[in-house]
Amino acid sequence: MSDQSPAMAIQPREPATEAVPESAPSARAERGEQKYAQVLAGAREVFLASGFEGASVDDIARTAGISKATLYRHFPDKAALFSAVVTQECKRQADHHPELACLAMPIGELLLGIARDSLEFMLSPFGQSIYRITVAESERFPHIGESFYQSRFLRNRHRLAPALAAAAARGELSAGIDPDYAATVFFAICGADLFHRRLFAVGPEPGAEERETQARRTVETFLRAFGPPAAARD
């Protein structure tokens, strides 16, 4: 008779459980990201061709090569989809300047590059269409206007302001400037004249030389307004 009690009996070892591979969730997430990108690409094309009112969810789904059910899994309605397209495009344009992270870059050189790219976006068919559609639909869908304002105007301002503050600290700009206000003024100067001429279809499309002239005048005007006093420059 064994002296070993039931409580002390050796229990059979349970088989080791295999780790669940993570590839399946990762693959699903990757497919979801691809579908999301497809939706935005299709929506961008349709909105540009037909405007907001003329664009249909059926057209967007067909152009994107997805089902309407897939589209609605990502976006509840057409207005939300348009806001996402606006945000993506404005973010892409604003993030085009990694040199903004280099606060030591001469401010005139930095501003000229930003002015050139801002004019390219503002005067492009897509930039003009986005602006027109946003203004037309903001009263009915306020979040469309809010998305455009935050992703275009606020994002640009918040990215440029630290570079302006650093330039002021180096003596390249007036020591007393408000960087946020100065950034707002810079982009306003940049869009003067040429943007509104294109918006209202006045005259021919500005050529490369006219755009370059506008970019350089923008920087010159800004530096005259916000540069250090003449005595400090001498």
Side-chain angles (χ1 to χ4, degrees):
M1 185 174 179
S2 172
D3 294 333
Q4 190 176 37
S5 65
M8 296 295 294
I10 298 175
Q11 300 297 320
R13 180 179 296 177
E14 295 183 1
T17 58
E18 296 183 1
V20 179
E22 297 183 1
S23 57
S26 298
R28 283 196 298 270
E30 184 175 348
R31 285 196 299 271
E33 292 174 0
Q34 291 174 347
K35 292 295 183 183
Y36 184 87
Q38 278 182 250
V39 175
L40 289 183
R44 184 188 190 280
E45 182 177 339
V46 174
F47 283 133
L48 182 59
S50 305
F52 181 84
E53 193 64 33
S56 70
V57 173
D58 288 320
D59 289 340
I60 293 172
R62 183 166 50 252
T63 302
I66 59 169
S67 67
K68 286 175 65 176
T70 298
L71 187 153
Y72 281 121
R73 275 201 297 271
H74 292 286
F75 300 99
D77 52 42
K78 188 170 69 170
L81 179 52
F82 181 76
S83 292
V85 171
V86 169
T87 299
Q88 180 192 59
E89 292 299 322
C90 291
K91 181 179 183 298
R92 182 180 299 164
Q93 192 272 333
D95 291 348
H96 185 60
H97 290 279
E99 66 269 24
L100 278 170
C102 180
L103 300 182
M105 186 174 184
I107 196 63
E109 181 181 342
L110 176 67
L111 292 177
L112 183 57
I114 294 174
R116 287 168 174 160
D117 282 347
S118 293
L119 282 166
E120 181 179 350
F121 178 81
M122 288 189 287
L123 300 177
S124 69
F126 184 80
Q128 292 275 302
S129 294
I130 284 291
Y131 187 86
R132 290 190 181 102
I133 294 171
T134 300
V135 171
E137 302 299 334
S138 290
E139 186 172 357
R140 289 194 303 158
F141 304 103
H143 63 279
I144 288 180
E146 184 178 356
S147 294
F148 183 66
Y149 181 77
Q150 290 182 347
S151 59
R152 170 70 180 165
F153 298 102
L154 284 187
R155 190 179 188 86
N156 282 343
R157 180 197 307 170
H158 291 161
R159 294 204 71 213
L160 179 56
L164 299 181
R170 292 194 304 270
E172 293 183 58
L173 297 176
S174 175
I177 69 166
D178 177 339
D180 285 326
Y181 174 71
T184 300
V185 172
F186 172 79
F187 287 109
I189 299 171
C190 190
D193 189 35
L194 291 189
F195 172 72
H196 292 97
R197 277 167 46 193
R198 290 303 301 147
L199 187 66
F200 299 113
V202 177
E205 181 178 355
E209 184 177 349
E210 192 172 8
R211 295 181 188 212
E212 179 66 13
T213 298
Q214 174 70 10
R216 291 184 177 278
R217 284 178 175 172
T218 295
V219 176
E220 291 169 4
T221 302
F222 179 85
L223 292 180
R224 281 199 299 270
F226 293 97
R233 294 195 295 266
D234 295 338

